[in-house]
Amino acid sequence: MNNITVDSNPSEAQLKQMGVEHWPTWEKEVSVFPWSFVTTEVAYIVEGECVMTPNDGGPATTFKAGDLVVFPNGYKGTWEVKKALKKRFKHRDGNFVKCAFSRYKILKNRIKSAF
């Protein structure tokens, strides 16, 4: 299984170039739950702290506010939300419906911010 990657110091220029400000948001209270990624998800952690533990016995990955995280398509593991989470995200490379819906939300947010 591919590993999660974490960039703990993305530059403002990089985030702007990626259009992170237009990505939809997702929030989750402190909790523990299983998850399977059906796309590659790129997420910018706005608030919170989490530990993701893969089902295959590999090492856990910790990420927190300010991190840019890539969850690979096919990753299966357990989320442990240690501090309430708010993230901006976009989907690519995977489930067509999820990817298309993600692109739609981003376009909608870009249009809203233009007015």
Side-chain angles (χ1 to χ4, degrees):
M1 181 182 317
N2 292 332
N3 293 325
I4 294 170
T5 59
V6 179
D7 179 351
S8 294
N9 196 20
S11 70
E12 288 298 320
Q14 178 185 5
L15 297 174
K16 185 172 179 71
Q17 180 184 22
M18 295 174 73
V20 170
E21 67 198 45
H22 302 292
W23 294 358
T25 58
W26 184 77
E27 297 182 42
K28 187 70 175 169
E29 69 281 351
V30 172
S31 56
V32 177
F33 57 96
W35 194 259
S36 296
F37 287 88
V38 296
T39 66
T40 297
E41 180 181 303
V42 182
Y44 179 70
I45 310 304
V46 178
E47 299 171 2
E49 182 179 338
C50 298
V51 176
M52 192 78 173
T53 304
N55 289 350
D56 68 3
T61 303
T62 300
F63 47 93
K64 62 188 178 331
D67 289 346
L68 185 64
V69 185
V70 179
F71 302 97
N73 187 358
Y75 184 96
K76 295 177 183 174
T78 300
W79 283 87
E80 181 181 356
V81 180
K82 293 183 164 278
K83 293 182 184 172
L85 176 69
K86 179 177 182 182
K87 68 177 181 171
R88 292 191 166 275
F89 68 93
K90 92 178 207 182
H91 297 287
R92 64 173 197 228
D93 307 326
N95 179 281
F96 175 79
V97 173
K98 259 194 144 159
C99 290
F101 193 58
S102 177
R103 285 191 298 272
Y104 166 75
K105 287 181 185 178
I106 292 167
L107 179 60
K108 182 178 158 189
N109 289 342
R110 282 184 185 277
I111 291 168
K112 276 189 350 192
S113 71
F115 294 101

